[in-house]
Amino acid sequence: MWYFFVLFDFLKPILADEYLVDEYRLGDVVIGDEVMIGANSTILPGVVIGDRAVVTAGTVVHQDVPSGAMVAGCPMRIVRRNEPPSD
């Protein structure tokens, strides 16, 4: 009786960097006025963070953050939008 074994390497992570070697995201990071950025947050290149925005700790910011918004998570999601004070 013959047995065939197929071994899979489940411990090796597949990273997007392995497939996107020739593509890079470039650009300046623009941070507005009165912005709070939590510890261990990662802000990717080319992102604009609006005025009075809040980025919680550990957030991966991969897209623009509107003014007055609170963002959290990995991937980033808008948790709350604050309306600017009216004069």
Side-chain angles (χ1 to χ4, degrees):
M1 186 172 261
W2 294 90
Y3 294 98
F4 295 100
F5 294 99
V6 179
L7 299 176
F8 296 99
D9 189 4
F10 291 108
L11 300 177
K12 180 184 178 197
I14 298 175
L15 301 175
D17 296 341
E18 295 176 4
Y19 300 102
L20 301 174
V21 175
D22 296 329
E23 296 181 25
Y24 296 100
R25 183 171 179 184
L26 301 174
D28 295 332
V29 174
V30 179
I31 299 175
D33 295 330
E34 300 180 21
V35 174
M36 289 179 31
I37 299 175
N40 293 328
S41 297
T42 303
I43 302 171
L44 298 179
V47 170
V48 176
I49 300 176
D51 297 337
R52 298 177 187 238
V54 177
V55 178
T56 61
T59 302
V60 177
V61 182
H62 65 283
Q63 61 187 7
D64 293 346
V65 178
S67 295
M70 174 185 269
V71 296
C74 178
M76 179 197 86
R77 293 184 182 168
I78 297 176
V79 177
R80 178 177 54 198
R81 291 181 187 256
N82 292 333
E83 299 298 325
S86 59
D87 293 330

